[in-house]
Amino acid sequence: MALNWYQCKNCETTVKKDSTPSSLGCSVKSTHSWTKLAEVGDTNYSCKKCGTTIQAKSSPSSLGCPSSSTHSWNKL
């Protein structure tokens, strides 16, 4: 299975995992609201809206930005 980046829209936690993380344990709301951002890779991307930086194989999903309705990714 591929390793992917996931981010919680509620608390901004970002994790690498091979499947969707558990929804339990969010520090902001009763449950996490995970968005799959991208497959883990070697290219750095940073969202100019929320400041999240990840290393992905290709441009990450724009869905689920904690600071806005969509991420705005810049390749670093």
Side-chain angles (χ1 to χ4, degrees), residues 8-59:
C8 176
K9 186 176 176 179
N10 300 328
C11 68
E12 300 186 33
T13 297
T14 305
V15 296
K16 287 188 267 189
K17 202 153 174 5
D18 60 2
S19 61
T20 304
S22 170
S23 62
L24 301 175
C26 184
S27 61
V28 175
K29 295 206 174 180
S30 57
T31 59
H32 287 292
S33 177
W34 296 111
T35 301
K36 180 179 168 183
L37 298 176
E39 188 174 348
V40 174
D42 296 326
T43 304
N44 291 311
Y45 292 90
S46 180
C47 175
K48 69 180 182 181
K49 295 178 181 176
C50 69
T52 297
T53 300
I54 62 171
Q55 300 76 40
K57 284 191 174 184
S58 60
S59 187

